[in-house]
Amino acid sequence: MTVTLSIVGTSGSGKTTLITRIIPLLQQKGYRVGVIKHTAHGFSMDHEGKDSWKHQQAGADAVMVASETAYALVKKVTPVRLEELEGQMKDLDLIITEGYKGSARPKIEVHRTETGKAPLKGLTKLVARITDAPQADGLPSLDPDDPQGVADFIAATFLE
């Protein structure tokens, strides 16, 4: 069964850096890991002039680019639901979402004092914080400079 875990935090808190550091550590433990990155802004995976870009510009509702070993799908949907995206990765052990702070999935918040921003408020299903600040709420506190410790926590809590 695939587990989805959301890594959340304010902009600039180090979510992407942390995720890129723990992926190989979880893979070394034998887990298959995928990532769904949430963005509040539109995006394009194509480059102007490429055939797939031309297909999108022509109005295609979905464009898939495929090779022998990988594929990418860009599909117009409204609204994009996390459950649908998770379904595309159901063959994996762990899906890490970057963002989706409003989802019903378990969350780990990344918070660094150097950003000058306060921790997020009103998070549901918060299971731990990765922070350099003292914590008083009883949640596990993980060291942002210890990706192995974070990977071990995720494996022990969600995968073993």
Side-chain angles (χ1 to χ4, degrees):
M1 184 169 146
T2 304
V3 174
T4 300
L5 172 65
S6 293
I7 304 295
V8 300
T10 58
S11 177
S13 62
K15 298 179 299 290
T16 300
T17 299
L18 174 77
I19 291 168
T20 61
R21 292 174 74 190
I22 64 174
I23 288 170
L25 299 173
L26 290 164
Q27 289 173 327
Q28 287 171 7
K29 293 176 177 286
Y31 299 112
R32 297 190 64 206
V33 181
V35 177
I36 300 173
K37 164 71 172 144
H38 182 261
T39 180
H41 314 289
F43 72 95
S44 174
M45 294 179 63
D46 287 323
H47 301 286
E48 187 171 344
K50 293 291 186 180
D51 291 346
S52 52
W53 179 85
K54 292 176 184 176
H55 299 149
Q56 282 190 319
Q57 295 302 305
D61 293 307
V63 176
M64 183 177 286
V65 179
S67 72
E68 293 295 319
T69 58
Y71 70 89
L73 171 65
V74 177
K75 184 176 180 183
K76 296 176 188 174
V77 293
T78 305
V80 175
R81 295 182 45 236
L82 180 56
E83 295 80 8
E84 292 176 54
L85 301 174
E86 290 169 320
Q88 297 294 315
M89 296 186 182
K90 62 185 174 196
D91 60 325
L92 303 177
D93 299 304
L94 176 66
I95 299 169
I96 298 172
T97 69
E98 183 175 336
Y100 290 97
K101 63 185 174 192
S103 78
R105 305 299 180 269
K107 295 169 193 68
I108 296 177
E109 180 181 15
V110 179
H111 175 258
R112 289 187 181 259
T113 55
E114 67 191 41
T115 67
K117 299 175 185 173
L120 295 172
K121 301 272 190 234
L123 294 174
T124 60
K125 293 200 171 188
L126 186 63
V127 297
R129 275 197 193 88
I130 299 167
T131 185
D132 55 1
Q135 299 298 296
D137 59 9
L139 285 173
S141 182
L142 307 168
D143 182 347
D145 296 317
D146 181 16
Q148 186 66 61
V150 174
D152 291 345
F153 175 84
I154 291 170
T157 305
F158 298 100
L159 300 169
E160 295 173 356

